[in-house]
Amino acid sequence: MSTNTISKQTEIKLLSFFNDRIDPVEMAKTLRQVNFTLALCVLSEHETFQSEIIKLRDSFYWLNELAETLNPYLEVE
């Protein structure tokens, strides 16, 4: 387990992300959905069920948004 603490700036960004962009409960649901879908794909030899494509696409978006909030990588300065 990591003992690092996040910076005040990152804390503010996270609060803004969860207050303005997505509810924390919805984010947790999204993380679980993508993990479930990825596990299914791996277990079924990389087949992706059509019904899971939309969930996977939405989950991918939110994971990238969270990653950009935590550590901006794609922002152009």
Side-chain angles (χ1 to χ4, degrees):
M1 174 176 245
S2 177
T3 58
N4 295 338
T5 58
I6 60 174
S7 70
K8 198 63 168 172
Q9 182 181 16
T10 301
E11 182 180 349
I12 291 168
K13 287 180 178 181
L14 280 171
L15 287 171
S16 176
F17 180 80
F18 287 116
N19 287 330
D20 302 333
R21 303 296 304 272
I22 188 171
D23 179 73
V25 173
E26 188 64 29
M27 184 64 194
K29 181 180 175 184
T30 298
L31 290 169
R32 289 182 187 100
Q33 286 174 338
V34 75
N35 286 339
F36 173 76
T37 303
L38 292 172
L40 280 179
C41 292
V42 169
L43 291 172
S44 60
E45 299 180 73
H46 306 289
E47 292 178 17
T48 303
F49 300 108
Q50 192 61 35
S51 64
E52 300 297 329
I53 296 285
I54 293 170
K55 288 182 194 173
L56 188 57
R57 184 190 66 218
D58 292 344
S59 298
F60 181 77
Y61 173 81
W62 286 115
L63 289 172
N64 279 316
E65 286 293 304
L66 179 57
E68 285 299 299
T69 299
L70 295 171
N71 183 16
Y73 178 76
L74 300 174
E75 288 182 357
V76 178
E77 294 187 26

